[in-house]
Amino acid sequence: MKRCLLYLVAAWGFLLLQSTFFPLFLDARWRPNLILILVLLLAIRERPVPAMLTVMLLGAFLDSLSGTTIGLHIAAFLVVFILIRLVAEKLNVESPALLVLILIGAIFVHGLLVAFIMTTYSDLATILYLLITTLPHQALSTLFVFFILVIIFPRWLLEDSGRSDHPKTFRGDLS
Amino acid sequence: MRDLLNRYRFYLLAIVLLLATLILYSYNIRQKSITTFFERSVLSITAPFQLGIDGAASAVAGVWRDYLWLIDTRQRNLELAAENQKLRARLNQIDEVTLQNQRLRKLLAFVDDLDRAALPAQVIGEDVTPWARTIVIDKGTRSGLRQGLAVVSADGVVGRVIKISSYSSRVLLITDPSSAVAALIQDTRSRGILRGHGDRLSVEYMEHDATVQPGSLLVTSGMGGVFPKGLPLARVVSKSHDDFDLFQRIEAVPSADFSRLEEVLVILGDDR
């Protein structure tokens, strides 16, 4: 619970940065998606159910602080979260290089999911082009911030700290 | 069966939550004009911090400029530098106030032309996603704002209020892909729909035989009741059409400079 609260506070700080600080220096397409870093960490480091509920709250925060309808980012983050957990079952997520690859994958999957949901529900075909063209820039800037975070908080990002589920019981662990 | 359910309990829960979220999203799309309690709370809690960070960033930038200047002058004369710094700081302040004054006068002149009540507001935040185009302003329901009100700058239309809390509001810019504004070519009065594409705009449903020239000004048509008629929207930059197309393909750039938005006016809707 405490750890999830920590993620929520971090998310709020990240969102403030994204809405006020980054626009002073960065073009819109170069602004990183910091919340996805938290989704990645929640998926591989924390217990499944509290982490999933936290991910949903992060999505709701992002929806409230962007021009989208509530539910869009909740759904996209949930799918990304589930996919990361499925990948984490099969691979050694302690490897920093693999974390970077998963993060890049998560950015692209998240972007395409948002585009898919928006075009399916709102018939906004123009959003697809805009989203896809921003994804490579966003991936690079997010990776840059991720590396900085790894340098500042290596323990928090690279060590398994909170999940405490054995690989054999990973799939069904609801604790 | 039970073992299977137990084994995949987490994923079943996740799928149920995902379906519930998609239903919620679908429902919210229909209720788009309503700001939910959750959204109102997040906007209300975040707005003071956005205002604070915005102010702090400006202050830090000011100190940085002054510091660099101080090093430069210290090399020449320490005493004069101290005095100079004070004077320069005051001058900077006066310059800033003068510039703000000019911007506000321009806005006021725009309001006089409009002949409608309008409320000035400060831009305190931008959208957190790189593809949506919205801004946050420092006025909300306490200042008399409501959803759907038009927001303009001295150069032209900025957008409309889509979400609102007590002390802040979210404005959907005309460049957002979900924005569509009924527009007219000022010279020829040909009608079309101005749609956002991120940083550029396009005009849809402009008839094949309508006369459109690059440089033509697009203004609001007044249809739809959000924007008053005749406000500058964008300028045409290019047009093309095939012989078999029903409509022309027109590209435009917004009249307002969205990269430099600091103050905006919310048109309160009622005639004076």
Side-chain angles (χ1 to χ4, degrees), chain B residues 166-203:
Chain B
S166 301
Y167 296 102
S168 64
S169 310
R170 182 165 292 280
V171 177
L172 181 79
L173 303 183
I174 56 168
T175 48
D176 188 275
S178 62
S179 164
V181 184
L184 285 173
I185 301 282
Q186 196 181 39
D187 306 332
T188 60
R189 314 311 283 175
S190 306
R191 288 175 185 278
I193 302 290
L194 189 74
R195 188 173 282 282
H197 292 274
D199 296 321
R200 62 190 176 85
L201 300 156
S202 72
V203 184

Side-chain angles (χ1 to χ4, degrees), chain B residues 197 200-203 235-239 249-253:
Chain B
H197 292 274
R200 62 190 176 85
L201 300 156
S202 72
V203 184
R235 280 209 182 266
V236 174
V237 285
S238 69
K239 62 156 195 164
R249 284 192 292 272
I250 296 170
E251 300 268 324
V253 288

